Amino acid sequence: MSASDEPTGTPSADDAKSPRVSRTSFLRAAAAIGAAPLLVRGGVALARDRGTPAKPLETTPQCHDGDEPTVEQIEGPYFKPNSPLRSSLITDSTPGTRLTVTGYVFSRTCRPIAGALLDFWQADDNGDYDNTGFTFRGHQFSTDQGAFSLTTIVPGLYPGRTRHIHVKLQSPGQRIVTTQLYFPGEPRNNTDSIFDARLLMNVRQAGPAREATYDFVLDAPGGPTTPPTQPPSGTWAAGTAYHAGDVVTYSGSSYRCLQAHTAITGWEPPNVPALWQRA
C-alpha cells in the first residue's frame, strides 16, 4: 500500500491505480486498537494522520480481492541477522528526529496476517549503519489484528541514496519478503535509482516528531493462526518461555533459540528464523 509523493492531500494519477485494502478487514483491525481508518493521499492511513477534522472523514475504499503484494527491493549491504526482539530502536538520549511508523500486514485477500515477522534496520542520524552491534536494528511480530508499530528516528542520508528504512517480512510458514520504505517530498527521491513511489509512507509532522503509516500486503494466507489438528512431534511447545541457547526439537529437527521469548502458535521454529536457528 503506498502514499502519494505529492505534498498535498490530492491523489495523483498513479495513486488512483494503487491497490486498495479491504474496507471490512481494515475497519475490524482498526477498531481493535481504537483507531478510525480513513483515506489519506491515496493510501490507507490511521485517523491520527488527520487529527481532529473540520469536516466528515473520507470513507475507506471498498473491499476487493487480489491486492498486489508489496513491492520487493534489494537487501543492500548492511543487513545483519539475529536482530533483537523489540519495537523501539531508540532511547531517550538517541539523537535525531523521532519517528513512529504504524500499519498493518494484510494478505492479498484483504485479511490481516497475525504473527508476521517484521525485521527493520536503518541508518542513524548521520547516515551510518551499525555493523558491529544492533543499533537501529530490531524485529517484531504483527498482532492478532495484523498491526505493527515501530519507534525510531528519521534516518540520515548517505551518498547515492534517499532516506529509507529497510524491512524483511515473513508470514508464518511463508517465504521472506525484503523491501524498503520511503519518505514523501525528499529531494533525492528523484535521483535515487532504487526509489519506488509505491513504497512511500504517509508521513505527517507531530510537533517536533513525525508519524508515518504504511500497510504491507503479502502473498500469503491471512487471518488468525489455527493450530494443526495433529501437531508435529517434538519438545517445542506454545506457552513455554525460552532463553537464548535453549535447544528444542520440532518435526524431527533440532533448533537453537536465538532470542528469549514466550512461544505462541505461529512462531514454530521453522517459521521464525529470527528466533530459532536449525542446530
Side-chain angles (χ1 to χ4, degrees):
M1 298 295 165
S2 63
S4 171
D5 193 17
E6 299 180 12
T8 69
T10 303
S12 67
D14 288 339
D15 291 332
K17 296 183 288 185
S18 297
R20 295 291 188 257
V21 79
S22 157
R23 174 183 175 85
T24 302
S25 295
F26 190 81
L27 284 170
R28 182 171 62 250
I33 61 170
L38 76 163
L39 186 63
V40 176
R41 295 188 221 164
V44 175
L46 301 182
R48 60 177 171 270
D49 284 355
R50 277 286 178 88
T52 303
K55 60 182 180 179
L57 297 179
E58 301 170 48
T59 58
T60 53
Q62 294 297 319
C63 177
H64 67 84
D65 293 340
D67 282 347
E68 290 300 317
T70 296
V71 177
E72 298 187 50
Q73 293 211 311
I74 63 171
E75 178 182 281
Y78 301 121
F79 172 70
K80 287 183 62 177
N82 307 329
S83 68
L85 176 62
R86 60 188 179 189
S87 59
S88 177
L89 308 184
I90 62 175
T91 66
D92 291 341
S93 61
T94 301
T97 301
R98 296 295 188 265
L99 172 70
T100 302
V101 183
T102 58
Y104 296 89
V105 183
F106 288 100
S107 71
R108 292 189 66 185
T109 55
C110 305
R111 301 179 65 194
I113 298 177
L117 168 68
L118 300 100
D119 194 350
F120 295 96
W121 72 102
Q122 67 170 79
D124 63 15
D125 192 41
N126 295 317
D128 298 321
Y129 285 83
D130 179 8
N131 296 316
T132 58
F134 288 93
T135 304
F136 293 112
R137 300 175 186 271
H139 72 273
Q140 59 181 279
F141 295 88
S142 61
T143 68
D144 288 344
Q145 293 77 38
F148 72 91
S149 179
L150 176 70
T151 303
T152 182
I153 64 166
V154 175
L157 294 167
Y158 63 87
R161 292 302 316 274
T162 189
R163 297 186 200 277
H164 62 281
I165 298 174
H166 295 270
V167 58
K168 284 182 179 288
L169 304 105
Q170 185 182 35
S171 180
Q174 305 296 315
R175 71 182 187 88
I176 296 173
V177 172
T178 303
T179 192
Q180 301 179 36
L181 297 178
Y182 296 100
F183 295 77
E186 287 290 328
R188 290 194 186 181
N189 287 350
N190 296 325
T191 58
D192 189 324
S193 62
I194 302 174
F195 170 77
D196 192 316
R198 292 171 293 179
L199 296 169
L200 280 165
M201 297 182 287
N202 285 319
V203 181
R204 76 162 194 148
Q205 198 71 32
R210 294 187 188 179
E211 294 177 348
T213 58
Y214 193 88
D215 297 322
F216 297 98
V217 177
L218 300 181
D219 191 5
T225 303
T226 303
T229 303
Q230 296 293 331
S233 60
T235 59
W236 180 91
T240 303
Y242 291 107
H243 301 86
D246 289 349
V247 176
V248 300
T249 57
Y250 184 85
S251 192
S253 298
S254 296
Y255 295 87
R256 179 175 293 103
C257 180
L258 299 174
Q259 303 287 340
H261 67 284
T262 298
I264 64 172
T265 299
W267 292 9
E268 292 83 359
N271 296 343
V272 281
L275 297 180
W276 296 98
Q277 183 180 59
R278 193 161 181 167

